[in-house]
């Protein structure tokens, strides 16, 4: 039987898509992230075998890889919680089971029993001395992934299977940690989750990039259109007048005909909003969130970051205080670095990259020219042609991960801004009511989850950061 | 000045919509749910004043209610975290500030300083001896809610303001606890969050109730349609083959021309799926989740449940083990109770209500006739014309809150089922791949968040359970 390992080496021409296990991976012992057994229903998983050293355990999972040396069979077993090598000796097991092992194919589902041994040479810290083997389902011979190098289109067509590759497993586990860190941070800081609507009657920023559909158009209402939300911010502003601090976290949609590595048509957005918080406090909240996210990932996903070959030194430097630059300071710095950015221009992606390379921490970029920003941003009283906004740029060239601002809270001023932006007032009367009845200083910000995941995991393209990416030419599977 | 309290009494003809504060509300001391001060940025909130008894504090919030007795002014202040009464004496404060108090209107935003006093007669356990008063923004005179009784359409038109009513505040706080209990439970039980797509190319259950839209239809792809997902289940089944256990939790959409009190066109659905879990284990996971949700709400939202006048005795009885009934047993019981349900019929809403009134715990209703259930449900090997599914019926007449089943994991059987359901195979080839490459026994279930919130809060209609409800005739605000 040929060695199977060669089959799932990392492809070289995959345009940054990753597949399978890179053999050189060494990782922290899972002891560091030891879990208790699953109890509902009771089940031992690979991530929870540490307390079972010396014991016999039963594990169920998939054959991620295997090789045979005639009398010894090495099975790489994964079960969702982690992976472990099971070593079988022909002379020490049932011969029918030994034959079943010889017929094994990649990604077959299997049940094994074995004795847990600590093994410091193993990338995962443990090994199983195999005792019994049972095939749950022998996979078809032609497992689509891993026999050769694959391009991104092929892998995305096989996304339902590609998710099993260790790199993809690692990315989604990091994503899960980032989601949970976000919830934990907001819970601890007085925010409640406030689910803003996806189906909306209009949009504050025009409809050119909105997905549109009939909303019971053939019914008695006749011809009503609904639009998929791009952000829940305006609704959150209503929420904080009741709850003080709110966040939402859900899918948003952008019908942008854009094919860059940073764009998806459906992505997850977190928006947070807080009453009685002004520009400086808004940045404190953002800084705390980013520090918390990176800290939790470093603590909980050391193994996953190793799998992804992520250099964790830059992540360790993500500590408060972040760098603060005004837009005006950034323009001066960028011109000195060779950029031709105009004095009142928004930063382009290249400018962001250039700037982040100057610092090893995230950058707060504050106080943009008012004309390049949205109507609801409050002007800086000291420089009324600029707004009290900020972006956060992630280091290592990743660029914008957060956008936020203090909001205009004066009724007459915000009406003036809406007129300047040629926005009709009528659909926003409810939003204006928030300035009529107990208006308060308030601020908020949002992050795109996929951009945070891409940065923390060190990925080039956001398409790997979400389970089933949707792009202009990709609605499948 | 007339007493303002009368203005926001609960309307009598509001068709179960609730507004404002019911005066008789008594509640547990907030000491029981004492929070620490907000630190990012530093701020004292009403929920965190317990440690400040005897001290002067500054609070910012909204005038929820007030009354004056000539020389004493009673201000009910809310700040999102809770509410507290501030008592001002004309003789002991700045006279300009006293005059400002006399001009106060409902829902104005204010800043107050006062000394914290414990007051066991107060529904919230504390009172402030008012020292200073500052108007942040004097509200317009005609605050839309509270001057008279309101019907549900009016209140839903004013949803952005109605959210400030204490009942609505309480409901969303309970919703927040339910969301967090769900995350905590799944985290502790080895599930990761797996965000399934909303934009999908097809649907497993036909397209009659799907919202449809052009997906870059005018571009080079020409005429592609996308549909808004009704459930992420099929995608979760791909997820568990990599991660073992997954859940999703996001908005789903149903273009149903239905106007019942249990239907929304956009609602939040939690779907969970687990590899190597069969029918019995699936029910164990569901039972643990429901018990955890109710326990957390009872612990964290005692005050909110009081506001909602929710009888908590039935909630305290939500303990394992739940009742188990097969569909066949339920039919016998229902007929004895007078129902005319057919032997192989699905239960109607009336049947569910009737059944839940017989027990004080939730009911697992198992093993429905195969012909009334979806193609992916695994047949019961002991009764092959029934499936290994279960619903969970909430007590007190609330009915179905969970639906789940073990999934068919055999390739040839599931293809046969799809043919029986007249489903095309081609769009589901990716789903069939999950049975080709390492198929495993697996199960899953889903809950509709709004139905859980309605039950736990004791509400008649789901429209109050989500911040901005979307119904057939309601897309605003």
């Amino acid at each position: 039987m040929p060695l199977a390992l060669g089959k799932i080496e990392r492809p070289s021409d995959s345009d940054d898509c990753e597949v399978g296990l890179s053999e050189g991976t060494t990782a922290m012992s899972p002891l560091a992230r030891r879990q208790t057994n699953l109890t509902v229903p009771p089940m031992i998983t690979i991530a929870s075998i540490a307390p079972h050293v010396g014991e016999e355990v039963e594990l169920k999972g998939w054959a991620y890889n295997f090789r045979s040396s005639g009398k010894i069979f090495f099975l790489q077993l994964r079960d969702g919680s982690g992976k472990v090598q099971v070593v079988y000796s022909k002379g020490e097991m049932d011969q029918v089971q030994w034959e079943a092992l010889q017929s094994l194919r990649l990604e077959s589902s299997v049940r094994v029993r074995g004795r847990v041994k600590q093994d410091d040479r193993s990338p995962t810290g443990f090994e199983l001395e195999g005792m019994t083997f049972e095939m749950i389902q022998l996979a078809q011979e032609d497992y689509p992934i891993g026999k050769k190098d694959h391009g991104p289109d092929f892998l995305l067509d096989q996304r339902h299977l590609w998710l099993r590759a260790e790199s993809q497993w690692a990315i989604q586990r990091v994503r899960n940690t980032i989601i949970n860190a976000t919830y934990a941070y907001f819970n601890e800081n007085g925010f409640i989750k406030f689910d803003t609507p996806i189906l909306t009657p209009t949009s504050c920023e025009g409809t050119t990039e909105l997905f549109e559909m009939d909303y019971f158009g053939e019914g008695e209402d006749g011809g009503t259109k609904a639009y998929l939300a791009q952000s829940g911010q305006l609704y959150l502003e209503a929420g904080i007048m009741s709850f003080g601090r709110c966040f939402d976290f859900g899918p948003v949609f952008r019908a942008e005909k854009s094919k860059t590595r940073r764009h998806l048509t459906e992505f997850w957005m977190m928006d947070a909003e807080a009453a009685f918080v002004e520009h400086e406090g808004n940045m404190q909240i953002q800084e705390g969130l980013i520090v918390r996210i990176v800290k939790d990932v470093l603590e909980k996903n050391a193994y996953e970051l190793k799998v992804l070959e992520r250099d964790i030194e830059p992540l360790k430097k993500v500590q408060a205080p972040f760098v603060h630059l005004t837009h005006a300071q950034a323009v001066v710095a960028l011109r000195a670095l060779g950029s031709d950015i105009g004095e009142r221009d928004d930063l382009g992606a290249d400018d962001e990259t250039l700037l982040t390379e100057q610092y090893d921490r995230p950058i707060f970029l504050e106080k943009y020219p008012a004309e390049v920003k949205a109507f609801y941003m409050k002007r800086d009283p000291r420089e009324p042609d600029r707004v009290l906004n900020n972006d956060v740029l992630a280091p290592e060239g990743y660029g914008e991960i957060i956008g936020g601002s203090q909001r205009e809270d004066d009724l007459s001023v915000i009406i003036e801004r809406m007129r300047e932006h040629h926005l009709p007032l009528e659909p926003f009367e409810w939003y204006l009511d928030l300035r009529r009845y107990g208006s308060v200083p308030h601020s908020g910000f949002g992050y795109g989850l996929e951009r945070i995941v891409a940065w923390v995991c060190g990925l080039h393209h956001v398409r790997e950061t979400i389970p089933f990416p949707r792009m202009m030419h990709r609605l499948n599977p």
Side-chain angles (χ1 to χ4, degrees), chain A residues 75-352:
Chain A
L75 165 64
Q76 298 283 342
L77 181 74
R78 62 170 190 84
D79 74 348
S81 79
K83 70 179 180 18
V84 70
Q85 177 165 268
V86 191
V87 184
Y88 289 99
S89 302
K90 184 178 181 182
E92 290 169 27
M93 74 184 295
D94 180 275
Q95 290 310 294
V96 176
Q97 291 181 15
W98 176 259
E99 289 309 317
L101 270 179
Q102 306 311 305
S103 71
L104 189 58
R105 293 181 196 134
L106 284 180
E107 288 299 327
S108 297
S109 46
V110 303
R111 185 197 315 264
V112 308
R113 281 193 75 82
R115 190 178 305 279
V116 182
K117 290 167 57 181
Q118 193 150 353
D119 181 353
D120 294 335
R121 293 162 311 169
S122 153
T124 52
F126 299 94
E127 196 173 84
L128 238 64
E129 204 180 291
M131 300 164 73
T132 68
F133 172 84
E134 180 194 339
M135 197 83 76
I136 297 176
Q137 192 242 349
L138 179 62
Q140 290 194 356
E141 197 142 9
D142 52 342
Y143 187 67
I145 299 176
K147 290 179 186 164
K148 54 180 182 181
D149 293 344
H150 304 292
D153 276 338
F154 175 83
L155 289 170
L156 288 169
D157 285 341
Q158 303 294 332
R159 184 61 174 168
H160 56 293
L161 300 176
W162 184 31
L163 284 165
R164 305 183 187 188
E166 195 171 31
S167 59
Q168 302 304 310
W169 172 87
I171 292 167
Q172 291 304 317
R173 305 244 309 175
V174 170
R175 180 180 169 112
N176 180 59
T177 301
I178 292 171
I179 293 168
N180 281 298
T182 301
Y183 274 84
Y185 178 79
F186 283 127
N187 276 334
E188 291 160 16
N189 284 285
F191 289 76
I192 73 160
K193 183 135 195 278
F194 183 81
D195 294 318
T196 57
I198 302 297
L199 300 175
T200 50
T202 183
S203 154
C204 62
E205 321 227 18
T207 60
T208 53
E209 294 179 358
L210 290 182
F211 287 109
E212 177 192 296
M213 50 183 221
D214 287 329
Y215 193 74
F216 298 102
E218 292 160 52
E220 31 199 306
D221 273 346
T224 304
K225 297 282 181 196
Y227 303 90
L228 301 188
Q230 288 188 323
S231 159
Q233 178 203 316
L234 304 193
Y235 290 100
L236 279 179
E237 290 185 59
I240 60 167
M241 304 300 165
S242 176
F243 305 99
R245 295 180 172 199
C246 297
F247 73 106
D248 71 7
F249 202 168
V252 295
F253 303 87
R254 207 155 287 185
E256 212 174 343
K257 290 189 176 174
S258 175
K259 298 186 221 174
T260 83
R261 64 187 177 86
R262 303 185 68 192
H263 284 90
L264 297 168
T265 56
E266 171 180 342
F267 56 99
W268 278 64
M269 183 96 182
M270 190 292 302
D271 282 301
E273 199 78 20
F276 305 110
V277 168
E278 306 191 29
H279 176 57
E280 294 295 331
N282 193 30
M283 291 190 290
Q284 285 174 41
I285 293 172
Q286 295 166 50
E287 187 177 72
L289 174 62
I290 295 297
V291 168
R292 170 63 173 267
I293 284 171
V294 173
K295 174 174 163 284
D296 279 13
V297 171
L298 286 171
E299 276 176 22
K300 297 180 182 181
N301 296 113
Y303 180 82
E304 288 82 355
L305 294 173
K306 281 270 185 190
V307 166
L308 296 167
E309 297 175 6
R310 176 65 164 113
D311 180 3
I312 62 172
E313 293 310 316
L315 294 178
K316 287 184 183 166
K317 289 177 184 149
V318 178
Q319 300 288 345
F322 293 176
V323 177
H324 284 261
L325 289 177
T326 63
H327 176 274
Q329 291 169 328
V331 166
V332 172
L334 282 166
R335 286 176 169 184
L337 291 164
S339 166
D340 60 356
I341 185 171
E343 248 180 46
R344 298 187 70 83
D345 287 353
D346 204 349
L347 272 71
D350 289 347
D351 292 322
E352 288 181 9

Side-chain angles (χ1 to χ4, degrees), chain A residues 57-91:
Chain A
V57 298
E58 179 185 275
L59 295 174
K60 289 170 281 191
W62 293 266
Y64 187 64
N65 212 338
F66 53 86
R67 63 189 167 93
S68 176
S69 69
K71 297 195 169 165
I72 308 284
F73 192 96
F74 301 92
L75 165 64
Q76 298 283 342
L77 181 74
R78 62 170 190 84
D79 74 348
S81 79
K83 70 179 180 18
V84 70
Q85 177 165 268
V86 191
V87 184
Y88 289 99
S89 302
K90 184 178 181 182

